[in-house]
Amino acid sequence: MDTAMDSDCTREPAVNRFTLSCDSVAIYTGSSAASQTKLMTMSATRTKSRCELQTACGSHTFEIVGYSLHKGLGKGKFIRSGNFAVGGYDWCIKFFPHGMDSTEFVSVYLCLLSPKAKVRAFMEFKLVDQTTGLPSSIQFSKQADLFDTTDTIDAGATKSYGWGYDRFMKTSDIEASAYLRDDRLVMECDVTVIKGPKVTETTIGEVRVPPSDLSKDFGKLLIAGVETDVTFKVKGETFEAHRNVLAARSPVFKAQLYGMVGVDNRSCITIEDIKPGIFKALLHFVYTDSLPDVQDIELDEIHEDEDIMKFLLVAADKYAMERLKLVCTSMLCKSLDEKNVAATLALADLHNCSELRKACIEYIASSDRVGDVAASPGYQHLKTACPAIFKDLWEKAARLA
């Protein structure tokens, strides 16, 4: 009977105590009052997981040629870019020359075109400086916006699927800036789509290592000028550096600095064929593997119609810094137009930049403004200095015809 079981007071319970710690589980057992208690220890299981948002990034360049001709559209009217895909969704840019709510400002929107979709995304709009070819950030979202086309009925209902800036920039400021040259405006839009969370299991004790700050530390080394052992005199300006760093980054610097005989540890090298501002930017790239902000590159000796990237490409070629050449090539490819493409092609041929050369030839061959290209000052120089290029150019044009 149950009562009989309840009356047996001499039997000890099977388990006296259960103790749980972070690292182990200890169980004490005993069979009788006279038996010795035995200790059994088992390792505890410790697990950990991490949730991270997955993203997809993309960028689109929208070139508006004949900017002044679009200004007659009126308030609330827009021109749009071609479609582009980011994160598996289709997008476009809408540009309102006379604004959405005020004709004093231009308006810019990023619009989701994919139907029946909900997408969270960040956006950043930039304008390209026509004198340097470098983009500058104008407006960006501080938090992700929700683009929703699930309930869109009217395709013209911008607010149902687009986010942007009614007062993106004053019209007068754009027209007085270097962003607008030869009636041409170039805009870039960076889109970051949030695709959803991803949960991963990790091991206890795993330490997340932050991104490398090596380039930042080397940049500080250049600025501080501590223990420098070589001096450059560039058209009257003096720059101090570390020969070990220069030699590690450039085979030309290595041969120049360690191939010198009979010089002391404070070698002074004179450079006459590079502008001081360009050489300073070159040193910045040597130490940090990145270019400084365009506003930090001194432009006193550079005409406003000249492209900083062309001077940097020449310097990169001189010191055999291939990655810097490719960075300059990428920038120059983005800034090609009818007036500069011929001169850029001659530069690419002279400095053996195959990717830039290819981009220029394709631009000229596929352009509907060949007459404008032929009228540019660089075209006549191209015919004289680089006659072999014309064979590739016309063969390309023939294939596209």
Side-chain angles (χ1 to χ4, degrees), residues 151-201:
D151 297 325
T152 300
I153 299 175
D154 180 7
T158 304
K159 290 186 178 180
S160 65
Y161 61 90
W163 287 90
Y165 303 93
D166 289 344
R167 300 194 172 195
F168 175 72
M169 192 172 180
K170 274 193 172 183
T171 305
S172 58
D173 290 343
I174 289 180
E175 295 176 355
S177 71
Y179 300 131
L180 183 65
R181 285 288 185 274
D182 302 320
D183 211 24
R184 173 175 172 266
L185 186 71
V186 180
M187 173 179 297
E188 292 185 4
C189 180
D190 295 338
V191 182
T192 301
V193 173
I194 299 176
K195 305 194 71 173
K198 179 181 178 182
V199 177
T200 56
E201 293 185 2

Side-chain angles (χ1 to χ4, degrees), residues 65 70 101 142 156 208 238 326 332:
V65 179
H70 296 293
D101 64 354
K142 297 180 180 178
R208 298 202 69 183
T238 300
L326 289 175
L332 289 170

Side-chain angles (χ1 to χ4, degrees), residues 112-366:
L112 176 64
L113 301 178
S114 299
K116 305 298 181 182
K118 282 187 177 182
V119 187
R120 290 175 63 218
F122 292 90
M123 59 186 171
E124 181 176 9
F125 286 103
K126 306 173 184 177
L127 291 178
V128 176
D129 189 318
Q130 302 286 332
T131 61
T132 65
L134 299 177
S136 298
S137 179
I138 305 298
Q139 298 280 7
F140 61 92
S141 52
K142 297 180 180 178
Q143 61 183 15
D145 295 310
L146 177 62
F147 295 78
D148 185 358
T149 58
T150 55
D151 297 325
T152 300
I153 299 175
D154 180 7
T158 304
K159 290 186 178 180
S160 65
Y161 61 90
W163 287 90
Y165 303 93
D166 289 344
R167 300 194 172 195
F168 175 72
M169 192 172 180
K170 274 193 172 183
T171 305
S172 58
D173 290 343
I174 289 180
E175 295 176 355
S177 71
Y179 300 131
L180 183 65
R181 285 288 185 274
D182 302 320
D183 211 24
R184 173 175 172 266
L185 186 71
V186 180
M187 173 179 297
E188 292 185 4
C189 180
D190 295 338
V191 182
T192 301
V193 173
I194 299 176
K195 305 194 71 173
K198 179 181 178 182
V199 177
T200 56
E201 293 185 2
T202 59
T203 304
I204 292 295
E206 179 184 2
V207 178
R208 298 202 69 183
V209 180
S212 171
D213 55 2
L214 181 65
S215 62
K216 183 179 180 180
D217 290 339
F218 268 79
K220 293 179 180 177
L221 183 67
L222 175 64
I223 294 173
V226 178
E227 299 294 335
T228 57
D229 54 8
V230 62
T231 302
F232 294 91
K233 286 190 175 180
V234 185
K235 294 189 174 181
E237 292 194 31
T238 300
F239 300 91
E240 295 188 352
H242 306 81
R243 64 176 64 206
N244 285 341
V245 177
L246 298 176
R249 299 282 283 157
S250 163
V252 176
F253 274 130
K254 182 178 181 179
Q256 187 178 36
L257 294 171
Y258 289 99
M260 299 170 67
V261 179
V263 296
D264 59 24
N265 290 332
R266 295 298 307 175
S267 308
C268 183
I269 300 174
T270 300
I271 298 176
E272 295 293 344
D273 57 351
I274 298 180
K275 301 175 186 295
I278 296 301
F279 189 78
K280 183 178 180 181
L282 176 74
L283 285 181
H284 186 279
F285 192 91
V286 166
Y287 279 77
T288 68
D289 206 38
S290 65
L291 289 176
D293 293 336
V294 64
Q295 59 265 27
D296 294 334
I297 300 178
E298 299 173 8
L299 305 175
D300 293 345
E301 297 184 3
I302 300 177
H303 191 271
E304 65 176 4
D305 293 334
E306 295 176 312
D307 197 322
I308 291 175
M309 290 301 113
K310 291 182 179 180
F311 290 96
L312 274 172
L313 186 145
V314 173
D317 185 51
K318 175 178 178 177
Y319 291 104
M321 298 182 62
E322 294 302 319
R323 187 172 185 277
L324 178 55
K325 282 182 67 174
L326 289 175
V327 171
C328 296
T329 294
S330 176
M331 294 292 189
L332 289 170
C333 286
K334 293 179 180 179
S335 62
L336 291 176
D337 59 30
E338 291 78 10
K339 290 188 176 182
N340 67 29
V341 65
T344 303
L345 177 53
L347 180 74
D349 188 69
L350 179 62
H351 294 280
N352 195 30
C353 298
S354 58
E355 292 296 328
L356 183 57
R357 187 177 186 272
K358 178 182 177 182
C360 291
I361 289 176
E362 290 182 348
Y363 184 96
I364 296 174
S366 60

Side-chain angles (χ1 to χ4, degrees), residues 366-385:
S366 60
S367 175
D368 57 357
R369 295 189 175 186
V370 176
D372 293 335
V373 174
S376 66
Y379 188 81
Q380 296 303 319
H381 171 73
L382 182 67
K383 289 178 64 176
T384 304

Side-chain angles (χ1 to χ4, degrees), residues 17-66:
R17 186 172 59 181
F18 181 86
T19 303
L20 174 66
S21 69
C22 292
D23 298 320
S24 64
V25 177
I27 301 177
Y28 299 87
T29 65
S31 59
S32 66
S35 65
Q36 295 182 353
T37 302
K38 297 181 179 179
L39 173 65
M40 297 175 58
T41 303
M42 298 181 299
S43 296
T45 300
R46 301 182 69 190
T47 59
K48 181 181 177 181
S49 62
R50 177 187 299 124
C51 178
E52 295 179 304
L53 284 176
Q54 301 297 293
T55 61
C57 303
S59 181
H60 183 76
T61 300
F62 183 27
E63 180 180 6
I64 301 173
V65 179

